[in-house]
Amino acid sequence: MDCLFCKIIAGEIPSTKIYEDDKILAFRDINPQAPAHILVIPKEHIGGVDELNSENVAIVSHIFAKIAEIAKNEGLEKGYRVVSNVGEHGCQSVRHLHFHILGGSQLNGSMV
Ligand code: DGP
């Protein structure tokens, strides 16, 4: 499978890692949209939120528990945004489930 984030997980493409365990990886986005812009991904290949189901959804609770920890470690006490783009209309450019953590300054109030 030709998946960019699977290659990052495999170490074939370098990344700035923030957190890693046997199930997930967090690393800095190559094109930051905010002072802090981190991607959190499952090591299992799941294409996006639209491929979640009762068999694989447990990973999302693990990811969100770690998002809270990561945000605290990044000093984002004043708040942050968690975003997952899905499919063409959602402007998802990498078809591997990922959650953006965006923060470090006042974000725009608009969601779109
Ligand atoms: P999305 O558009 O929601 O699918 O987000 C994909 C993000 O992935 C986008 O913000 C840029 C980031 N990205 C793309 N290629 C690379 C890469 O090679 N390394 C890192 N660290 N981030 C990447």
Side-chain angles (χ1 to χ4, degrees):
M1 195 189 306
D2 195 26
C3 170
L4 179 69
F5 287 175
C6 285
K7 288 180 182 165
I8 286 178
I9 291 162
E12 293 165 20
I13 293 174
S15 66
T16 307
K17 292 179 186 176
I18 302 287
Y19 174 82
E20 182 171 20
D21 63 27
D22 57 329
K23 295 189 186 70
I24 69 171
L25 175 67
F27 56 100
R28 295 203 187 278
D29 195 291
I30 205 168
N31 181 25
Q33 306 289 314
H37 188 169
I38 295 156
L39 300 172
V40 189
I41 66 175
K43 289 192 171 176
E44 176 191 358
H45 182 86
I46 299 169
V49 168
D50 53 341
E51 288 188 10
L52 287 170
N53 54 52
S54 54
E55 308 278 291
N56 63 16
V57 74
I59 194 66
V60 175
S61 94
H62 182 57
I63 285 174
F64 271 78
K66 291 300 168 186
I67 283 174
E69 274 184 35
I70 290 165
K72 199 174 277 185
N73 290 340
E74 286 285 312
L76 304 181
E77 290 85 0
K78 291 187 96 174
Y80 52 94
R81 184 170 291 155
V82 180
V83 175
S84 190
N85 295 324
V86 186
E88 184 183 346
H89 278 191
C91 299
Q92 183 181 7
S93 61
V94 180
R95 275 299 288 173
H96 184 123
L97 177 66
H98 54 281
F99 295 90
H100 299 257
I101 305 173
L102 296 148
S105 65
Q106 179 63 55
L107 300 176
N108 191 316
S110 168
M111 293 291 280
V112 289

